[in-house]
Amino acid sequence: MTSSPVRDASGTVPLHEQIYTRIRASIESGQLKPGQRVGSLRAFAGELGVARGTVQVAYDRLLGEGYLMAKGPAGTFVSEKITSPRPHRLDAAPNPVNTPPEPDSTEVSIEMDGGVPAPFQLGLPALDEFPRKLWTRLLTQHVRKAGSLAKPAPAGFGPLREALAAYLQRSRGIDARPHQVFVVPAYTASLALILDALALTGTSAWVEQPGYPPTAQSLRRARLQVLNVPVDDQGLDVAYGRQHFPDARLAVVTPSHQSPTGVALTLQRRIELLDWAGDQGAWVIEDDYDGEYRYRGHPLPALKSLDTCDRVIYCGTLSKVLYPGLRLSYLVVPQNQVATVDLACRRTVHGGCPELLQAVAAEFIAEGHFARHIKHMRTLYAQRRAMLAQALAPYEQDGLTVCLQDGGMHLLVDVGDELDDLVMARRAREAGFAVHSLTAWRHGAPGRRGLLMGFTNLRSQDEADRLVAELMRALKA
């Protein structure tokens, strides 16, 4: 792929769109081949003479649409699954629900550069507070054990499944046996495994509106019809879903801390959702991505803990709690689906998670380090959340209003009606800030506008004040 300067003579096509189109065309024409490494953000931006944030927007979109694959420190590669020309957008196929296009919805895929979080990056734990010495000691101990270097079991390392089952019973109220716990590399791998095991391909699914973009993208890749169900101040509007899409086979929800609005699904709505699943023989996927982090009162029990009809599949992650490079997520399936999921797990393509890291994680949980780490981080995140809220407070006169929810790892900042959150997020990202727009998470549909900002890696009030001031200068430029 050549790297000649990118310019549009008319000035009407944004640079990130031009870069995206060029790379996509190179992939579809075969100039960039499956498995081939593409240039780093920094190198590519230097060759093109554009800001790194501009290239980041294009890369994020290509990652989200499946053209590229990020492999951590190894770099970014052309997806090996690209075998023929692909549609321009994931939702280019006819959509009976007639949802609007998804402008820049893949902006959620921003990555760290050289291990350093971008300012306000979402979904990252506090990397400066990870117990490295303790983890290294456990890692060293397990490296000496030959078993830790073995080929991983498809369903997960036995001691880790046991440790997770015990932890979930204590902390989330989930009564599950170890054989009901399956370890997978990531949340999207959890979705793929569930859809395969339960033969849901080609059916329809409720998703939250607004909601986490990769959920809808993953469902569409599996040829499910995505049905947008609105979220209000009580969480997913189950009555709306029943009225408009009663025959859906699946609902994917974030009940403890809705992504991205932060509201918790009320008890009444939880009961309504479980009743719908029982009546329709449908399934509910509970994405409990940060349910441990609640700053007022105790963490809410999981929806799975109320599941008397065995219709809920619980998804959790260690990567968002410990560190992203761990790549360990897990799911808890009903007893009557264990054999089906186990069979699907053996034929899946992800190949399992490295047993060494699973062994270290198992001991970290079993010895009580995990619970202590969660408690420490809950206190720390409450402080860092307050730092960001305080830094943003002086800018309320500029149309920014902080919405402090009870939990989560990011803040939602409402913006005034006269402001365009898509434009604001784009300006922020071009300036190097990992800020996201609420409209992008609503797939472009009209409604509430806002900005999503992570706070977990802010280390002081001075840093928060400085970064917010720099962000505001970028937004006003």
Side-chain angles (χ1 to χ4, degrees):
M1 181 176 64
T2 59
S3 299
S4 57
V6 179
R7 293 290 183 267
D8 169 44
S10 68
T12 60
V13 181
L15 288 178
H16 66 80
E17 180 74 21
Q18 298 176 52
I19 295 169
Y20 161 83
T21 302
R22 170 181 292 187
I23 299 176
R24 181 171 61 86
S26 297
I27 294 173
E28 292 180 342
S29 68
Q31 185 179 359
L32 283 174
K33 297 176 172 56
Q36 182 176 342
R37 189 178 187 276
V38 298
S40 69
L41 289 173
R42 190 182 301 278
F44 198 26
E47 291 173 1
L48 297 177
V50 299
R52 188 161 60 90
T54 302
V55 180
Q56 176 79 69
V57 173
Y59 270 38
D60 287 347
R61 185 170 170 187
L62 291 160
L63 285 163
E65 294 184 2
Y67 287 97
L68 299 181
M69 294 179 61
K71 297 185 178 180
T76 304
F77 297 77
V78 178
S79 174
E80 295 180 358
K81 297 181 181 180
I82 298 293
T83 56
S84 60
R86 296 164 56 90
H88 179 65
R89 302 194 66 87
L90 281 173
D91 54 354
N95 185 352
V97 189
N98 194 29
T99 56
E102 300 181 16
D104 295 331
S105 64
T106 52
E107 65 182 23
V108 70
S109 304
I110 191 168
E111 298 177 27
M112 296 183 294
D113 180 26
V116 179
F120 310 124
Q121 188 165 338
L122 304 182
L124 277 184
L127 301 182
D128 61 313
E129 290 292 320
F130 179 71
R132 293 175 182 268
K133 288 185 178 180
L134 172 59
W135 187 266
T136 301
R137 176 173 62 81
L138 297 177
L139 182 64
T140 302
Q141 292 172 358
H142 282 280
V143 165
R144 299 192 182 104
K145 301 178 183 179
S148 296
L149 306 179
K151 181 179 180 179
F157 184 53
L160 178 56
R161 299 171 79 183
E162 294 174 5
L164 286 169
Y167 166 74
L168 292 172
Q169 204 286 325
R170 294 192 306 269
S171 67
R172 312 299 292 132
I174 298 174
D175 186 13
R177 306 280 78 81
H179 66 273
Q180 294 175 251
V181 180
F182 291 81
V183 181
V184 291
Y187 167 65
T188 51
S190 299
L191 285 180
L193 178 59
I194 293 167
L195 299 178
D196 178 24
L198 302 181
L200 291 170
T201 298
T203 63
S204 59
W206 293 1
V207 297
E208 298 168 326
Q209 173 78 320
Y212 185 50
T215 295
Q217 293 164 1
S218 296
L219 295 175
R220 288 194 177 101
R221 287 194 188 100
R223 293 187 290 111
L224 273 77
Q225 179 185 352
V226 172
L227 308 171
N228 293 318
V229 178
V231 170
D232 58 24
D233 59 0
Q234 299 183 62
L236 185 79
D237 189 343
V238 179
Y240 180 98
R242 268 189 177 272
Q243 178 183 352
H244 292 84
F245 317 119
D247 298 326
R249 291 287 312 285
L250 176 69
V252 186
V253 296
T254 52
S256 293
H257 177 248
Q258 199 275 328
S259 177
T261 65
V263 301
L265 190 64
T266 62
L267 178 60
Q268 181 61 36
R269 291 276 179 90
R270 292 177 186 230
I271 294 172
E272 292 174 4
L273 181 60
L274 294 174
D275 286 346
W276 165 78
D279 294 344
Q280 294 297 126
W283 297 98
V284 177
I285 295 178
E286 176 181 11
D287 177 11
D288 198 32
Y289 66 104
D290 63 357
E292 292 92 351
Y293 298 127
R294 189 173 176 85
Y295 311 117
R296 286 182 287 197
H298 296 289
L300 297 172
L303 177 68
K304 179 67 179 171
S305 67
L306 302 174
D307 180 28
T308 58
C309 296
D310 279 344
R311 306 308 302 178
V312 176
I313 300 168
Y314 177 92
C315 294
T317 177
L318 297 178
S319 301
K320 281 186 170 63
V321 178
L322 296 177
Y323 65 95
L326 185 59
R327 303 301 291 166
L328 287 179
S329 296
Y330 55 90
L331 54 94
V332 179
V333 306
Q335 173 65 41
N336 58 10
Q337 295 297 322
V338 168
T340 302
V341 176
D342 187 71
L343 180 62
C345 206
R346 294 178 186 279
R347 66 173 178 258
T348 190
V349 297
H350 71 68
C353 303
E355 187 168 298
L356 175 60
L357 293 180
Q358 291 190 68
V360 176
E363 188 167 353
F364 190 79
I365 296 171
E367 291 188 353
H369 304 303
F370 186 69
R372 287 190 289 273
H373 182 65
I374 291 290
K375 182 178 180 181
H376 169 61
M377 301 306 280
R378 191 179 295 132
T379 301
L380 179 73
Y381 288 167
Q383 296 169 348
R384 294 186 172 184
R385 183 180 77 144
M387 291 176 187
L388 181 54
Q390 181 175 326
L392 287 164
Y395 300 98
E396 186 168 357
Q397 61 186 6
D398 295 306
L400 304 185
T401 304
V402 175
C403 303
L404 278 181
Q405 298 294 347
D406 290 342
M409 298 169 66
H410 70 265
L411 283 184
L412 172 57
V413 183
D414 280 330
V415 302
D417 293 339
E418 72 283 1
L419 300 175
D420 186 331
D421 59 344
L422 284 169
V423 172
M424 296 171 75
R426 186 181 72 243
R427 288 179 179 172
R429 293 171 67 81
E430 289 174 349
F433 297 96
V435 173
H436 304 274
S437 65
L438 183 59
T439 297
W441 288 49
R442 203 172 47 252
H443 318 302
R448 180 182 180 185
R449 300 178 180 181
L451 300 176
L452 309 176
M453 303 173 63
F455 55 75
T456 53
N457 282 281
L458 294 173
R459 290 173 292 183
S460 69
Q461 187 64 59
D462 286 345
E463 181 183 34
D465 293 341
R466 174 179 59 80
L467 289 173
V468 168
E470 292 176 1
L471 171 64
M472 293 305 299
R473 283 195 292 272
L475 294 181
K476 295 177 179 179

